[in-house]
Amino acid sequence: MPNVGPMELVIVLAIALIVLGPKKLPEVGRSVGNGLREFKESISGERRDDEDDRRALKAD
Protein backbone atom coordinates (compact mmCIF):
# COMPACT_ATOMS: atom_id res chain seq x y z
CA MET A 1 0.00 0.00 0.00
CA PRO A 2 1.51 3.34 -0.98
CA ASN A 3 2.27 6.04 1.56
CA VAL A 4 -0.02 9.05 1.52
CA GLY A 5 1.93 12.15 2.41
CA PRO A 6 0.93 15.78 2.81
CA MET A 7 1.55 16.58 -0.85
CA GLU A 8 -0.80 13.82 -2.00
CA LEU A 9 -3.49 15.06 0.40
CA VAL A 10 -3.15 18.60 -0.96
CA ILE A 11 -3.55 17.29 -4.51
CA VAL A 12 -6.65 15.26 -3.61
CA LEU A 13 -8.23 18.22 -1.80
CA ALA A 14 -7.47 20.53 -4.73
CA ILE A 15 -9.11 18.12 -7.17
CA ALA A 16 -12.13 17.77 -4.86
CA LEU A 17 -12.41 21.56 -4.64
CA ILE A 18 -12.30 21.89 -8.42
CA VAL A 19 -14.83 19.10 -9.04
CA LEU A 20 -17.31 19.87 -6.24
CA GLY A 21 -16.84 23.60 -5.78
CA PRO A 22 -16.35 25.56 -2.56
CA LYS A 23 -20.04 25.59 -1.58
CA LYS A 24 -20.58 21.84 -1.88
CA LEU A 25 -17.29 20.66 -0.33
CA PRO A 26 -18.24 21.16 3.37
CA GLU A 27 -21.54 19.35 2.83
CA VAL A 28 -19.77 16.40 1.21
CA GLY A 29 -17.21 16.29 4.02
CA ARG A 30 -19.98 16.26 6.61
CA SER A 31 -21.75 13.43 4.77
CA VAL A 32 -18.57 11.36 4.58
CA GLY A 33 -17.91 11.96 8.29
CA ASN A 34 -21.42 10.86 9.24
CA GLY A 35 -21.10 7.78 7.08
CA LEU A 36 -17.77 6.83 8.65
CA ARG A 37 -19.20 7.37 12.14
CA GLU A 38 -22.19 5.14 11.38
CA PHE A 39 -19.90 2.48 9.92
CA LYS A 40 -17.67 2.57 12.99
CA GLU A 41 -20.69 2.33 15.32
CA SER A 42 -22.08 -0.64 13.39
CA ILE A 43 -18.74 -2.46 13.53
CA SER A 44 -18.12 -1.81 17.23
CA GLY A 45 -21.73 -2.37 18.27
CA GLU A 46 -21.89 0.97 20.11
CA ARG A 47 -24.82 3.24 19.53
CA ARG A 48 -24.73 6.99 20.02
CA ASP A 49 -28.14 8.56 20.22
CA ASP A 50 -27.90 12.13 18.95
CA GLU A 51 -31.45 12.89 20.07
CA ASP A 52 -30.55 12.28 23.74
CA ASP A 53 -27.45 14.47 23.36
CA ARG A 54 -29.51 17.33 21.94
CA ARG A 55 -32.10 17.06 24.69
CA ALA A 56 -29.41 17.09 27.37
CA LEU A 57 -27.88 20.23 25.89
CA LYS A 58 -31.24 22.03 25.72
CA ALA A 59 -32.03 21.13 29.33
CA ASP A 60 -28.87 22.91 30.55
Side-chain angles (χ1 to χ4, degrees), residues 34 37 48-60:
N34 287 336
R37 185 180 307 117
R48 180 177 163 207
D49 194 3
D50 289 337
E51 291 294 322
D52 289 340
D53 293 343
R54 290 186 191 132
R55 290 183 198 142
L57 290 175
K58 287 182 181 178
D60 291 336

Side-chain angles (χ1 to χ4, degrees), residues 4-47:
V4 179
M7 191 59 184
E8 287 84 5
L9 290 175
V10 169
I11 292 171
V12 169
L13 288 175
I15 292 171
L17 185 61
I18 291 169
V19 171
L20 298 173
K23 292 183 181 180
K24 202 75 156 159
L25 194 59
E27 182 181 324
V28 170
R30 202 172 299 118
S31 299
V32 169
N34 287 336
L36 288 173
R37 185 180 307 117
E38 288 178 14
F39 178 74
K40 182 180 173 184
E41 288 173 356
S42 67
I43 295 296
S44 67
E46 295 177 9
R47 176 93 174 129

